[in-house]
Amino acid sequence: MTEAARAAAADPAGTRLDGSVPRDANGVPHGQPVLDSLIALLDLERIEENIFRGVSPAESPVRVFGGQVAGQALVAAGRTVPRERQVHSLHAYFIRPGDPSVPIVYEVDRTRDGRSFTTRRVVAVQHGKTIFSLSASFQIDESGIDHAEPMPDVPAPETLPTYGEQVGDLVHQLGRAQPRPIDVRYVTDPPWVRRGKGPQEARSQVWMRADGVLPDDDLLHVCIAAFASDMTLLDAVLARHGVYWGLDNVNGASLDHAMWFHRPFRADEWLLYDCASPSASNARGLATGRFFSRDGQLVATVVQEGLLRVLD
């Protein structure tokens, strides 16, 4: 953990961000101080052997961001597993909206410790009720067959505008004025631009990375990726129908989320997030995502189904 992160741990909700923090084109805080607050947010308090407690940022919207609770739950699971075993998959359900005004308690069930694999189940609890559940599997390092699909041919992230430059004055209307620990650069046209052009291909591509330097902690890098994976995934579903949150009569929420981690990566280096939607029906949309490292390695795969209601 960096010195800045240790300081941020005294303020895990990030409420001390001040005028010295870098600002994006539309005035939203970003950079290392904001990332350090996210690191502190994922640094859960251990209150019993298998029980942890986390908080939400002061700038949270009405409900807890799904990527936050997924990242925190994975931290809780990982802290009960030997460090030499790396997470290779997670499967999660979003059960109730999280309340950002109160802490979240994470209860870990040590399901199995095998010779090669370790399995954990985590439930997140608020107000005496489960709001989220996660199962995660960890594995020792093993050799074996190896292949992967190639990375799509896309522009380099440095050639693309920042999120703040792209979203401009719509930042408040879209509800995206919170501090940004993740640097996001859209390869495809942003969904708020595409919505005026009618239905298009059900695809979204962005470059993303933690906006600063992360410690050399493999679990933290995976948890940051889990946090970021919930940010733009459902854009692919909405693009197909030419609608977007905050600008059209559409609302929704993540229902379930699964990730598979194929190869090592650093979340503070550029990752291409290539997302597509194969289907939407019955007020639900399915999206798949692939994370590629800058050198073209497929490092993770994501699948999520979201609740999507278009209102009259």
Side-chain angles (χ1 to χ4, degrees):
M1 182 178 288
T2 66
E3 289 299 325
R6 291 191 182 92
D11 177 38
T15 57
R16 296 180 185 174
L17 296 176
D18 56 27
S20 65
V21 176
R23 303 273 167 168
D24 209 334
N26 50 16
V28 175
H30 71 103
Q32 190 70 51
V34 178
L35 179 60
D36 286 335
S37 289
L38 175 58
I39 295 170
L41 197 74
L42 294 172
D43 189 12
L44 302 181
E45 176 189 4
R46 193 171 205 146
I47 57 178
E48 247 296 347
E49 183 67 20
N50 299 313
I51 302 175
F52 302 81
R53 180 163 52 201
V55 297
S56 300
E59 304 85 358
S60 287
V62 176
R63 62 189 180 199
V64 176
F65 171 54
Q68 174 197 318
V69 70
Q72 288 180 330
L74 188 55
V75 168
R79 289 190 175 174
T80 69
V81 175
R83 293 183 65 88
E84 64 270 15
R85 299 195 175 206
Q86 304 296 319
V87 61
H88 72 87
S89 69
L90 66 84
H91 301 263
Y93 282 94
F94 298 89
I95 299 168
R96 294 181 176 88
D99 180 354
S101 68
V102 299
I104 305 171
V105 174
Y106 295 92
E107 301 174 353
V108 182
D109 174 32
R110 300 186 183 225
T111 308
R112 183 175 185 268
D113 292 294
R115 287 185 296 178
S116 300
F117 291 88
T118 293
T119 307
R120 295 291 183 262
R121 182 173 182 270
V122 183
V123 293
V125 178
Q126 281 187 319
H127 304 296
K129 296 180 179 179
T130 299
I131 66 167
F132 175 86
S133 68
L134 174 142
S135 294
S137 181
F138 300 74
Q139 182 189 11
I140 61 173
D141 187 28
E142 297 188 63
S143 60
I145 59 176
D146 193 320
H147 76 271
E149 293 183 344
M151 183 174 74
D153 185 15
V154 298
E158 295 85 1
T159 67
L160 302 169
T162 67
Y163 182 87
E165 290 168 340
Q166 288 180 310
V167 74
D169 295 337
L170 288 175
V171 63
H172 294 285
Q173 192 173 348
L174 296 177
R176 304 293 175 85
Q178 295 83 20
R180 296 190 195 113
I182 308 297
D183 188 350
V184 176
R185 312 284 180 98
Y186 275 90
V187 176
T188 53
D189 282 341
W192 56 89
V193 172
R194 286 196 277 174
R195 62 180 284 274
K197 302 176 182 178
Q200 298 192 15
E201 183 184 9
R203 183 169 294 278
S204 172
Q205 293 177 323
V206 299
W207 286 102
M208 55 171 56
R209 66 176 177 183
D211 198 4
V213 179
L214 292 170
D216 294 330
D217 180 336
D218 292 339
L219 178 62
L220 178 62
H221 285 259
V222 168
C223 291
I224 294 287
F227 174 92
S229 68
D230 193 36
M231 293 176 63
T232 63
L233 187 52
L234 293 181
D235 285 2
V237 184
L238 298 178
R240 177 66 179 81
H241 299 275
V243 296
Y244 197 59
W245 326 104
L247 301 178
D248 298 288
N249 290 329
V250 57
N251 60 30
S254 303
L255 293 174
D256 59 9
H257 196 88
M259 295 187 74
W260 294 264
F261 302 96
H262 312 305
R263 296 169 180 83
F265 62 90
R266 289 191 63 92
D268 54 3
E269 296 178 352
W270 287 113
L271 298 170
L272 176 68
Y273 196 21
D274 178 39
C275 303
S277 175
S279 178
S281 63
N282 201 32
R284 302 189 314 274
L286 184 69
T288 63
R290 301 178 299 168
F291 278 110
F292 293 90
S293 60
R294 186 69 180 267
D295 62 0
Q297 291 288 305
L298 178 62
V299 298
T301 299
V302 188
V303 178
Q304 182 182 99
E305 189 171 50
L307 175 68
L308 296 167
R309 292 189 173 123
V310 180
L311 308 177
D312 294 332

